[in-house]
Every structure is written in structure tokens, then in C-alpha cells.
Amino acid sequence: MEHYYQPEIECASREEIVAIQNERLLRQVQHVWNDVPYYRKKMEDAGVTPDDIKSIDDLHKLPFLSKDDLRESYPYGMLGVPMQEAIRIQSTSGTTGKRVVAFYNQHDIDLWEDCCARAIMAAGGTNEDVCQVSYGYGLFTGGPGLNGGSHRVGCLTIPTSSGNTDRQIMFIRDLNATILCCTPSYAAYIGECMQEMGLGPDDIPLKAGIFGAEAWSEEMRQDIQKTLGIKAYDIYGLTELSGPGVSFECSAQKGMHVNEDHFIAEIVDPETGEVLPEGSIGELVFTAIDKEAFPMIRYRTHDICSLTREKCSCGRTHVRMTRLMGRSDDMLIIRGVNVFPSQIETVLLNYGYPANYQIIVDRVGTTDSFEVRVEMTPEMFTDNLGEITERQKELVKGLNSMLGLTAVVTLVAPKTIERSEGKAVRVIDRRKFF
Ligand code: DLL
């Protein structure tokens, strides 16, 4: 049976959703015009006033916001409410060294937690469940977001945060955790540790996982589902728009429903910014139509995917985004070829390797060197060099047919690539330092 947190809105008709979006967009544009001088100036520069925005069809007239704008307006330039009303900040994990500080008032926290509650119920969660939140807590949005959602659903919530993997497994077993929330790479690592302890899927009570915050492939999903004996659901979000729960997967596991009563999604050409027709692959742009303290209008996410309005078997009517294919700024251009880490992961998993790998790109003279370092499974591990060379050749071929590029493949011993308790670091691009 499909569970919904707010069925009246999650399953609303297109007309109802558009009516909500029209009303909220107009209100939001007036709000930023009156209360956010930084964005008002952008509108004035673009020659747009609130009168020009009569419905969501006029959304494309509004100027984009980018990470550069957030840096420029840092720290308080995009704050949309009086200081007395703002109650929380969250901040990006800063893996790229560019911190974003986002603000919330109580209304924003409420809608964020509602979105996370929708995701938990879409993964089958109810107040009977025990939900272990193993995303980091603190400035990162993963822990606080899912924690709030879990409370709203009425799950017994275990706020373990990330790390201390033995304790994670102990709590899952002792407290009968049925839902696990963490990054997919950490879920895979928990699975690895369980295997080392001699524990299989039948030794733990988990039934579902809500995994996001980083790219992962369908093959990785299958692996995690098998090792932990669960159904694994994708969840997407970013700090600028509140955090996890901007979109989430349902029982169909075929893309993530965008919470359209709060966020309008567009797909644009990453180069030109032109809005692309439905079904095209491009950069996701979001407008938060209901958030007050940090009202993002047409925020460029750099995330690459496509949108579909095809009917979903779960009964939800909100538009779905596909699994992320990568980021326009994470996309590597190696010898002129566009490469997403997710493509490499797909090849590795297809050949039976674990998702523990690193992509190392460098510049040698005028050409790019491209190495993929891959861990072998304990079963593959051997000191027979001939066998290893054969395996490496096979992977070079597989990668070549996926990417049209020749890589140097280096197979390394099991457990030699550093594990992550949060977002995994897959790419080392040394070219940036020259
Ligand atoms: O990662 C929020 C989050 C927490 C999402 C927990 C899901 C679960 P940031 O640290 O601001 O926020 O990073 C946002 O992470 O633009 C994507 O590039 C990436 N990302 C988030 N979810 C997914 C996902 C959180 N499901 C950035 N698949 C986004 C792939 C994801 N990438």
C-alpha cells in the first residue's frame, strides 16, 4: 500500500498544482521586490517588474541566481525576512571550498520538514517505524532535514549522525531500525562492515533506505539493496533550497517527484540558459515559491538531468526528475570528451567491481592523462599478475565503449581507497592546479 504524508497535495490535479504555483509565484516575486534589494536590483537591471509576472508562464523573464550571487551577497544580502524572524542557518558541506549560508524562519523549517516527511512516507515509513538518521548533523542539511521529517511522520528517530560504523550497526540491530537515512556511499560502507562482521541482510531489520546528497548509479542501488536487504530510495535537495526533500523517490523507483507546491523546476541549456522543452537533458533551475527567509528565484543548480510528467504508478502527480547524470561543473572534459563520474561507475559495477574508485586526471605536456583506480573485491584479489592485466584490459575496453576514451586502469587491493562517511570524493583533477 502506498503511504502519503499530504495526499491532497501530493496527488493533486495538474490544474490545482498550477493554481497554487501561480498564486505563490506572484506573491514570491512581490516579496523579493519589496524585501530583497539584491534581487530587486537584478530585476531592475533585466528590466522586469512584478507587473510583468502574471503566471508561471512568465517565469523565464526573471533573472537567474547563481552561486556567484550568493557569494557576492554573503552573508545577509539574500535574507528575505527581518532578523528577529530568522531562526536558523544551514550551510553547504563546502567540498568545493565555496560555502553557502541559507536562512530559515519557522515557516521555512515547517515546509522543509514536510517535504522530508513526504519522502519518508513514500519509502513506506509510518509511525510504526524506527528511523536511523546517519547523515551528518550540524551545518549540513542531511541530518537536521531527515530528523525533522522523521519526527513529523512519528517514527522513533535515532539521530546517530555519520561515523562510528560499528555503533551504527549495533543500533540498527538492537533498536530494530527499519529505515536508514545516509549517503549511498556510506550505506555501501555499512554493508561492507556488516559483511566483515559476518552479518547478512537477514541479520538486520532494515526494510528501506533513503539515500542522497551525492550521485549514485542504478547498479549501486542494486548492490546496496542486496547487501542490506532493503528497498533503496533516492532523495535530492540542496542547501540553497532548504536541503533534502526538494524531490524524492516513490515505490516506482523511477525518478524523483519534485515537491511542486514549493519548488518550480525548469531545465535550461547549461551554456545559453535557454529553457528547454520537457524531456530534454539539461541543467536544473529551481524557484522556491514558498520559502520566506531565503527566497531563491531561478537558482542555477548545475545539476544535470531531465524532467518527465508521465503518469506515475504511485499516484503522485508532481513532475519527476531523473537520477542526476552529473553536474555541469563536475563534468570532466578529458581530451575534449565530456565525462561524468556516473558513467564510469556504471561500467565498473557492470563488470562486478564495487563502487570504490577514483578518477585521476592530470595534464602531461599538452594532453590529458586519465587514470581510473578501482578496488578489486576480495574474491578477485590475486597475486597472479597475468590475471590482473587481463582484468585491466577488459575494463579499459568497457570504459572505451562507454566514453570513447582510453583510460589507464589500475586495479588496487580491497579496502585501499579511502572510505567516506558523508559525500565520497571520486575525482582528483590535478589539471586545476596548473
Ligand atoms: O546534499 C542535501 C541533501 C542531504 C540531499 C541529504 C539529499 C540527502 P548540499 O550539500 O547543498 O545539499 O549539496 C547539494 O548535492 O546540487 C547535487 O549536486 C548533490 N545531490 C544532492 N542529492 C543528490 C542525489 C545536500 N540524490 C548538491 N543524487 C546538489 C545526486 C545529489 N546528487
Side-chain angles (χ1 to χ4, degrees):
M1 196 187 70
E2 192 75 34
H3 299 288
Y4 309 97
Y5 180 64
Q6 289 165 318
E8 66 297 345
I9 182 70
E10 293 177 65
C11 304
S13 69
R14 182 87 329 242
E15 296 71 42
E16 287 169 312
I17 295 171
V18 168
I20 293 174
Q21 289 185 331
N22 281 334
E23 186 209 320
R24 291 186 173 173
L25 176 66
L26 266 54
R27 190 181 65 201
Q28 187 71 309
V29 170
Q30 196 62 57
H31 169 46
V32 290
W33 179 263
N34 295 340
D35 304 321
V36 186
Y38 184 90
Y39 194 74
R40 181 184 179 130
K41 166 123 195 348
K42 280 192 94 94
M43 285 176 67
E44 284 169 347
D45 290 348
V48 194
T49 69
D51 287 343
D52 296 316
I53 311 300
K54 302 206 160 43
S55 76
I56 53 172
D57 295 337
D58 297 320
L59 185 60
H60 66 97
K61 296 179 183 162
L62 289 162
F64 290 122
L65 273 172
S66 69
K67 217 167 213 159
D68 284 341
D69 288 306
L70 300 188
R71 238 172 279 139
E72 213 170 290
S73 59
Y74 178 90
Y76 287 118
M78 282 300 300
L79 178 61
V81 296
M83 196 63 105
Q84 305 89 299
E85 197 186 314
I87 57 166
R88 168 104 69 90
I89 73 141
Q90 300 286 160
S91 177
T92 57
S93 47
T95 37
T96 50
K98 303 159 194 158
R99 276 204 175 267
V100 166
V101 171
F103 303 95
Y104 305 73
N105 63 6
Q106 188 58 53
H107 168 84
D108 299 336
I109 299 276
D110 288 343
L111 77 84
W112 178 24
E113 293 185 353
D114 281 348
C115 288
C116 289
R118 290 180 192 174
I120 292 171
M121 291 199 69
T126 67
N127 60 2
E128 313 254 321
D129 281 290
V130 177
C131 180
Q132 183 154 318
V133 183
S134 312
Y135 285 109
Y137 279 65
L139 289 171
F140 179 54
T141 54
L146 269 309
N147 192 90
S150 175
H151 281 188
R152 279 180 190 240
V153 174
C155 302
L156 176 60
T157 308
I158 316 180
T160 45
S161 194
S162 59
N164 202 338
T165 309
D166 287 353
R167 190 181 60 191
Q168 302 276 359
I169 296 169
M170 183 194 82
F171 273 139
I172 291 173
R173 301 186 78 206
D174 292 356
L175 296 175
N176 267 327
T178 45
I179 301 176
L180 174 67
C181 307
C182 62
T183 59
S185 51
Y186 194 47
Y189 183 54
I190 292 178
E192 243 181 78
C193 294
M194 270 176 41
Q195 282 175 336
E196 267 168 30
M197 295 160 91
L199 299 173
D202 294 338
D203 300 308
I204 54 165
L206 288 181
K207 63 175 191 193
I210 303 178
F211 305 137
E214 63 182 5
W216 53 313
S217 59
E218 188 52 42
E219 291 76 9
M220 186 164 175
R221 186 208 313 259
Q222 299 303 335
D223 265 14
I224 296 175
Q225 294 195 145
K226 211 162 90 205
T227 322
L228 299 182
I230 59 171
K231 215 167 155 176
Y233 298 84
D234 204 352
I235 183 167
Y236 168 85
L238 54 161
T239 312
E240 295 87 326
L241 295 169
S242 56
V246 170
S247 66
F248 61 87
E249 257 184 351
C250 59
S251 55
Q253 291 181 308
K254 286 210 176 101
M256 296 175 273
H257 291 279
V258 174
N259 282 307
E260 284 192 279
D261 50 330
H262 299 305
F263 307 103
I264 301 181
E266 300 171 275
I267 293 284
V268 306
D269 181 318
E271 303 292 329
T272 63
E274 183 202 344
V275 179
L276 299 175
E278 195 187 306
S280 316
I281 295 173
E283 179 181 343
L284 258 178
V285 170
F286 279 109
T287 300
I289 46 178
D290 200 20
K291 268 161 53 61
E292 296 171 348
F294 204 57
M296 292 287 105
I297 308 271
R298 302 198 82 206
Y299 183 69
R300 303 278 303 245
T301 63
H302 289 294
D303 291 324
I304 306 286
C305 71
S306 68
L307 297 175
T308 173
R309 289 202 182 277
E310 257 170 51
K311 197 166 181 269
C312 184
S313 60
C314 76
R316 287 179 186 77
T317 46
H318 293 202
V319 71
R320 271 172 298 156
M321 52 184 265
T322 56
R323 172 185 291 289
L324 286 200
M325 301 170 63
R327 288 179 56 81
S328 58
D329 54 358
D330 256 17
M331 185 183 77
L332 290 157
I333 303 182
I334 305 175
R335 295 175 214 143
V337 179
N338 297 352
V339 176
F340 288 107
S342 59
Q343 294 174 296
I344 295 176
E345 183 170 311
T346 297
V347 174
L348 301 182
L349 289 160
N350 278 339
Y351 280 89
Y353 291 85
N356 296 317
Y357 62 95
Q358 254 171 359
I359 302 160
I360 301 155
V361 192
D362 207 342
R363 178 142 300 161
V364 183
T366 52
T367 40
D368 295 325
S369 65
F370 169 35
E371 180 188 357
V372 182
R373 213 169 273 174
V374 192
E375 251 182 35
M376 286 178 277
T377 60
E379 298 74 48
M380 292 172 182
F381 193 46
T382 167
D383 48 15
N384 180 337
L385 279 183
E387 209 175 293
I388 292 186
T389 312
E390 273 316 301
R391 282 192 166 277
Q392 289 180 162
K393 273 195 201 148
E394 181 188 63
L395 269 187
V396 170
K397 226 165 123 195
L399 287 168
N400 199 305
S401 69
M402 169 70 98
L403 309 169
L405 263 183
T406 306
V408 172
V409 170
T410 312
L411 291 178
V412 299
K415 314 229 181 313
T416 45
I417 291 177
E418 203 185 332
R419 299 294 188 269
S420 153
E421 290 162 357
K423 302 190 190 219
V425 181
R426 307 277 195 214
V427 180
I428 302 172
D429 191 347
R430 300 206 172 104
R431 296 173 301 182
K432 286 185 186 140
F433 302 116
F434 288 103

